[in-house]
């Protein structure tokens, strides 16, 4: 009798286990009377090309104003905005392109050197005057200087801003300026107007920084410091002046230097060695 009861108990226990497992594996039917999303705020999930899901709110509010803070987002964090033909949507608010203001000159930094160093900081605006005295706006994004995107999208592109951005971007990131838009004289004026004095100086754009030399000589207005060091060492440590007589006078940067008995010149480091006038050679 006890054996029979034991088998019955085990059978019931097994039935209860099977029922529990069945309940776990069978999903409960959803209550159709309950809406998971209110219809008026439902979002659509659209997969982008890189398989990252982006959320676009079907209902947006159009703003009647276009604050400068929104202009900053467009210029420095465009990835936070959704752009179309008529404007930008940011945080569910639509800002119309026709209402977009220009970057206020009051918010722009003057391009000015401190201790013969110029720094363009990311996320900041700068202003300059063109040849005719008109002010233009630049900004620093990443490791570049250019006309703000907000100005470009308003179809206010201009050659002066494009070339000035290239000028500072080239010498700040590469150490050289390859365009012929500005002559050597104009390049020197731009640098002098920004507070750069003759000799060594530096320009930093974002995280890029170049050590340079401002010259009045034949090598160009802006010379990378590394190139200057190579030329200086050539004068100081090679026999490049052996063809000149002892006592010959060289004029470097407007100052006279006399060739000594070792056929060397006592040139101070930092002299404009590219602005040099040679005497007649001893050997022809």
């Amino acid at each position: 009798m006890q054996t029979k009861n034991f088998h019955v108990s085990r059978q019931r226990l097994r039935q209860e286990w099977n029922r529990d497992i069945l309940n776990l594996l069978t999903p409960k039917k959803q209550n159709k009377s309950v809406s998971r999303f209110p219809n008026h705020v439902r979002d659509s999930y659209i997969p982008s090309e890189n398989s990252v899901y982006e959320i676009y709110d079907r209902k947006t509010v159009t703003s009647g104003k276009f604050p400068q803070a929104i202009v900053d987002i467009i210029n420095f964090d465009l990835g936070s905005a959704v752009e179309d033909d008529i404007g930008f949507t940011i945080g569910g608010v639509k800002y119309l392109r026709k209402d977009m203001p220009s970057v206020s000159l009051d918010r722009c930094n003057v391009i000015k050197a401190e201790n013969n160093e110029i720094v363009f900081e990311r996320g900041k605006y700068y202003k300059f005057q063109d040849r005719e005295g008109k002010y233009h706006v630049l900004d620093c994004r990443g490791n570049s200087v250019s006309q703000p995107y907000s100005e470009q999208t308003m179809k206010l592109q201009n050659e002066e801003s494009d070339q000035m951005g290239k000028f500072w971007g080239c010498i700040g990131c590469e150490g050289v300026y390859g365009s012929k838009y500005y002559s050597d004289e104009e390049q020197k004026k731009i640098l002098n107007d920004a507070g750069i004095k003759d000799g060594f100086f530096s320009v930093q754009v974002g995280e890029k920084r170049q050590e340079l030399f401002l010259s009045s000589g034949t090598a160009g207005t802006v010379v990378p410091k590394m190139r200057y060091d190579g030329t200086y060492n050539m004068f100081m440590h090679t026999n490049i002046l052996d063809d000149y007589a002892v006592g010959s006078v060289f004029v470097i940067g407007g100052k006279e230097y006399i060739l000594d008995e070792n056929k060397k010149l006592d040139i101070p480091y930092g002299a404009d060695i590219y602005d040099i006038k040679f005497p007649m050679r001893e050997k022809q």
Side-chain angles (χ1 to χ4, degrees):
M1 186 69 178
Q2 289 181 350
T3 303
K4 181 178 181 181
N5 291 338
F6 176 75
H7 287 299
V8 171
S9 298
R10 290 193 61 182
Q11 185 176 4
R12 287 180 178 176
L13 183 61
R14 187 178 295 107
Q15 290 174 346
E16 290 177 359
W17 285 349
N18 291 337
R19 184 169 58 250
D20 289 341
I21 293 173
L22 184 62
N23 288 336
L24 288 173
L25 296 178
T26 304
K28 295 181 180 180
K29 293 183 179 180
Q30 186 176 348
N31 187 350
K32 295 183 179 180
S33 64
V34 178
S35 176
R36 296 180 63 194
F37 300 97
N39 290 334
H40 65 281
V41 294
R42 181 172 297 178
D43 294 331
S44 298
Y45 291 77
I46 304 174
S48 61
E49 292 181 356
N50 59 1
S51 298
V52 176
Y53 286 89
E54 300 177 1
I55 303 174
Y56 296 93
D57 193 348
R58 288 181 177 175
K59 293 201 67 175
T60 59
V61 177
T62 300
S63 174
K65 298 181 180 180
F66 210 122
Q68 290 279 336
I70 299 301
V71 176
D72 294 347
I73 292 175
I74 292 169
N75 288 327
F76 301 118
D77 190 18
L78 187 58
S80 298
V82 178
E83 182 180 5
D84 59 27
D85 292 339
I86 63 173
F88 302 84
T89 301
I90 300 172
V93 181
K94 183 85 167 187
Y95 300 92
L96 302 180
R97 196 185 308 273
K98 67 181 183 63
D99 297 328
M100 187 188 305
S102 297
V103 176
S104 173
L105 289 175
D106 294 337
R107 305 180 63 225
C108 300
N109 297 306
V110 176
I111 303 173
K112 203 68 177 176
E114 292 185 12
N115 299 320
N116 241 27
E117 178 180 24
I118 289 180
V119 177
F120 289 90
E121 296 184 51
R122 289 179 174 177
K124 290 191 176 182
Y125 297 107
Y126 298 85
K127 60 185 176 183
F128 73 95
Q129 283 182 293
D130 62 21
R131 295 177 174 102
E132 298 178 355
K134 182 181 178 181
Y135 276 101
H136 299 274
V137 177
L138 300 172
D139 68 19
C140 180
R141 283 167 287 159
N143 299 323
S144 67
V145 179
S146 63
Q147 188 177 15
Y149 181 70
S150 63
E151 306 282 317
Q152 297 180 41
T153 194
M154 293 166 66
K155 298 182 179 179
L156 297 177
Q157 299 99 322
N158 60 81
E159 184 72 7
E160 289 81 2
S161 295
D162 181 61
Q163 292 298 329
M164 186 64 78
K166 287 180 180 178
F167 174 77
W168 288 113
C170 285
I171 65 174
C173 295
E174 306 298 332
V176 293
Y177 173 68
S179 174
K180 292 300 181 182
Y181 187 80
Y182 297 114
S183 66
D184 286 345
E185 292 75 16
E186 286 180 310
Q187 291 178 52
K188 191 158 191 176
K189 184 179 186 306
I190 292 170
L191 293 167
N192 288 160
D193 288 347
I196 295 295
K197 300 177 181 178
D198 289 358
F200 293 112
F201 72 101
S202 66
V203 175
Q204 180 170 334
V205 177
E207 296 181 351
K208 297 284 187 177
R209 186 174 184 273
Q210 292 292 328
E211 296 281 348
L212 308 159
F213 186 85
L214 181 57
S215 173
S216 297
T218 58
T221 302
V222 178
V223 179
K225 181 179 178 295
M226 183 180 298
R227 179 180 173 187
Y228 177 95
D229 289 344
T231 305
Y232 182 80
N233 289 332
M234 180 181 66
F235 274 113
M236 302 302 291
H237 303 297
T238 70
N239 60 353
I240 190 174
L241 301 177
D242 280 359
D243 289 347
Y244 295 92
V246 173
S248 296
V249 177
F250 294 75
V251 180
I252 301 175
K255 296 182 179 180
E256 294 185 350
Y257 296 87
I258 299 175
L259 195 66
D260 64 22
E261 63 275 7
N262 296 316
K263 299 292 184 77
K264 300 296 181 183
L265 294 172
D266 186 17
I267 307 172
Y269 184 67
D272 193 350
I273 51 180
Y274 299 104
D275 180 15
I276 183 170
K277 294 180 181 178
F278 291 89
M280 294 292 293
R281 291 177 182 269
E282 182 180 39
K283 301 175 182 179
Q284 299 295 330

